Every structure is written in structure tokens, then in C-alpha cells.
């Protein structure tokens, strides 16, 4: 009986001790949640500087970061984020680039950085965040023998094209670091809104098969237009990376292209310093659709610039495009545009129709 009593006492003590450990774990969990974030107002073209302290945050369950729907950093790198986390939120407008830099205050403190972008109605913080449009992280070094980098700056960059986003920025201590001061620098650059100009009419060019028509023109009085239509896959006139070749004033001409005919259009600037570019698209024979309201076309060709990376422009140079009609006739619209926002200048335009 005495032996049984002693065993019961030992079991009771063990249960009591286990209960103490469980209570301790629950206390730590409650200290880590709920996470909060400091809202930051960032203005395009103006550097935002924010100071923070790791001591104001808490550790976080890091399982969220390695999920394929987040892809912030792989689980083997969790040690770089195992300390306290401090969160900040801000907005990323459409057509913007946001560069974020983390600067530790002391050279002996290793602090890591991450940021993710989500929808404009989403404000979920780690570890509850389930997915993101993108997540970028900066931490440690590439050295296998010395994977940590105390005192080093960390940098990430986020991009928005057609849609705006909310951004959550996380600053975390490496190797369990829970105290340390830092500075965040946020640089936002938002593209200017596109021009709102509309081309209301096209000048008709009368040209018959087997003939060449020559006209004189100028882009004075033309309009700058939104160029997004030209990069659409249904038009494919020129890529967005070449918009600066067509961001000046536009004037448009039109002519009819009979079936079984090839049209050659040549643009010749009248001044050696004048950089003008050319595009032409074919549509149905009765179409009247003008840029920037071109949803699609049969074909579009453009001529601009040079193939040199160091010198992309060609002031004074002529431009030429060719369009073909086989079994059907088309209407062709020809656009002449200034490069690098040029809005004045004269030119000669030649249209030649050659039977196939």
C-alpha cells in the first residue's frame, strides 16, 4: 500500500509540473498576438524615413513565409527571422516602384527585412497572412561559412503595374535578436498619368494601286495620347519599353489598301535634328477606329529608333513600314509621332501601293 501511495504522489507531482509548463507556453503565445502595424504615408518622389525598435514587437510563427502562396524565404533561413518582428503598412499605387532600405543602428546587430504586397482591402499581418501578390526578403550573406551580416543594410523592391496594393513591411531580428534600433527608408516613384489626348480625325491620302502619293505634314497641332493600346497583344504595334519613341504629338493619315496589294509607307523628317517615328495598322475596309481607341487590328507595323542600346534615337532618320493585303481589302491608318515628347516639326510622307 505504501508503494502504491508513493507512485500516486509522483504522478500527481508530474501532472502539476506539466500544468505549469503549459501555462507558461500559453503566456508566451498571448504575448506574441495580436500583431499590430504602424501605418506610414509615403509620397512619390519624397523619401520617407521611419525609426523603429525591435523591442516593441514580438516573435512570430514563421511557417507562413515558406508557403508557396507567400514564398518570402525558405524554411532553412528562418534563423534570420527568429527574433522579434515589427510591422509597418503603406500603399503602393499603380504604375509604381517602391524601394525599401533597412539600416541597423549598431554594427553588431543583425536585423532582416521583408515586404509583401496584397489587395487594397487586405491588412492581414503575419503569421495569419495566407497569400500575397509578391513577397521579397533581404537577409544575411551568401557566404556559407559566415551566413549572418550584423550591421549590414538590407534592401527590397516592390512593383505595381496596372493595380494598386497594400504593402506590409516586416523588420525582424536574426538569431533570436529581440532588442535593437533601426531606420527604414522608403523611396516611392509613381509614373505620371498617361496623356488624355484623343485623335478626332485622320487626313485622307488618295493613292491608287501602282502609284505613289506624297504629302507634306507637321505634328504641330497634334496630340499626345495614351500609348497602352499599342502594346496590347491584339494590336502589337510597339512594346511599352519603346513608348518614349512615341510620347510626343501624334497626327494620323488614312488610305485604302486594295486586295492583292503591298503598301509601303515612308516618313522623312525635314530637319536633321528632328526625331519622328512611324506606325501603320490595317483594319476592316469600313473601319474608322483611331488611336488610342484601337482594340485590335489585322496587322500593325512600326518603325523607330535604332538597335543601339547606348543610342536608341535617330533624329533626322527616315522610317519605313510595309503592310500587305491578300484576299481582302483594308483601310490603313498611319501615325506620325514625335519621340521624347517632341510636339513640333515638319515631314514628308510617301505612300506606295504595289500590286502583288
Amino acid at each position: 500500500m505504501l508503494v502504491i501511495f508513493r507512485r500516486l504522489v509522483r504522478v500527481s507531482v508530474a501532472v502539476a509540473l506539466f500544468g505549469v509548463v503549459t501555462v507558461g507556453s500559453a503566456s508566451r503565445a498571448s504575448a506574441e498576438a495580436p500583431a499590430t502595424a504602424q501605418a506610414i504615408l509615403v509620397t512619390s518622389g519624397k523619401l520617407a524615413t521611419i525609426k523603429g525598435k525591435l523591442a516593441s514587437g514580438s516573435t512570430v510563427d514563421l511557417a507562413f513565409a515558406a508557403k508557396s502562396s507567400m514564398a518570402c524565404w525558405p524554411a532553412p533561413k528562418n534563423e534570420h527571422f527568429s527574433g522579434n518582428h515589427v510591422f509597418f503598412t503603406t500603399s503602393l499605387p499603380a504604375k509604381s516602384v517602391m524601394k525599401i532600405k533597412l539600416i541597423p543602428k549598431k554594427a553588431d546587430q543583425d536585423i532582416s527585412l521583408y515586404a509583401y504586397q496584397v489587395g487594397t482591402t487586405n491588412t492581414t499581418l503575419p503569421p495569419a497572412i495566407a497569400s500575397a501578390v509578391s513577397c521579397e526578403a533581404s537577409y544575411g550573406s551568401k557566404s556559407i561559412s559566415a551566413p549572418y551580416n550584423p550591421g549590414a543594410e538590407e534592401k527590397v523592391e516592390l512593383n505595381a503595374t496596372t493595380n494598386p496594393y497594400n504593402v506590409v513591411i516586416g523588420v525582424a531580428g536574426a538569431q533570436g535578436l529581440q532588442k535593437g534600433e533601426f531606420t527604414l527608408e522608403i523611396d516611392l516613384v509613381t509614373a505620371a498619368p498617361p496623356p488624355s489626348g484623343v485623335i478626332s480625325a485622320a487626313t485622307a491620302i488618295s493613292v491608287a494601286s501602282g502609284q505613289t502619293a506624297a504629302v507634306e505634314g507637321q505634328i504641330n497641332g497634334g496630340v499626345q495620347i495614351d500609348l497602352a493600346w499599342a502594346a496590347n497583344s491584339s494590336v502589337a504595334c510597339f512594346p511599352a519599353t519603346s513608348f518614349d519613341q512615341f510620347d510626343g504629338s501624334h497626327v494620323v493619315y488614312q488610305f485604302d489598301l486594295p486586295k492583292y496589294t503591298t503598301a509601303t509607307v515612308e516618313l522623312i523628317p525635314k530637319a536633321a535634328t528632328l526625331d519622328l517615328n512611324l506606325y501603320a495598322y490595317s483594319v476592316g475596309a469600313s473601319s474608322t477606329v483611331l488611336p488610342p481607341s484601337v482594340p485590335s487590328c489585322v496587322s500593325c507595323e512600326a518603325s523607330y529608333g535604332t538597335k543601339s542600346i547606348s543610342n536608341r534615337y535617330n533624329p533626322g532618320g527616315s522610317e519605313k513600314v510595309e503592310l500587305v493585303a491578300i484576299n481582302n481589302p483594308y483601310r490603313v491608318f498611319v501615325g506620325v509621332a514625335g519621340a521624347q515628347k517632341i510636339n513640333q516639326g515638319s515631314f514628308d510622307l510617301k505612300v506606295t501601293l504595289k500590286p502583288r
Side-chain angles (χ1 to χ4, degrees), residues 64-115:
F64 78 93
K67 292 178 179 178
S68 59
S69 56
M70 290 296 298
C72 284
W73 64 83
K77 301 298 183 181
N78 279 352
E79 189 61 22
H80 291 281
F81 301 86
S82 59
N84 279 2
H85 288 231
V86 180
F87 299 110
F88 304 85
T89 59
T90 189
S91 299
L92 180 62
K95 298 183 179 179
S96 297
V97 176
M98 179 177 287
K99 296 180 180 180
I100 307 167
K101 180 192 295 185
L102 165 70
I103 309 167
K105 185 175 181 179
K106 294 185 178 180
D108 61 347
Q109 293 179 332
D110 194 356
I111 305 178
S112 300
L113 173 68
Y114 63 99

Side-chain angles (χ1 to χ4, degrees), residues 328-339:
N328 296 298
Y330 298 114
R331 178 160 293 166
V332 173
F333 290 94
V334 178
V336 178

Side-chain angles (χ1 to χ4, degrees), residues 22-36 54-61 83-87 126-127 178:
T22 302
V23 170
S25 298
S27 298
R28 285 196 297 273
S30 62
E32 296 171 1
T36 59
L54 289 178
S56 65
S58 61
T59 58
V60 171
D61 183 344
N84 279 2
H85 288 231
V86 180
F87 299 110
Q178 295 184 333

Side-chain angles (χ1 to χ4, degrees), residues 27 166 236 275:
S27 298
N166 283 344
D275 195 355

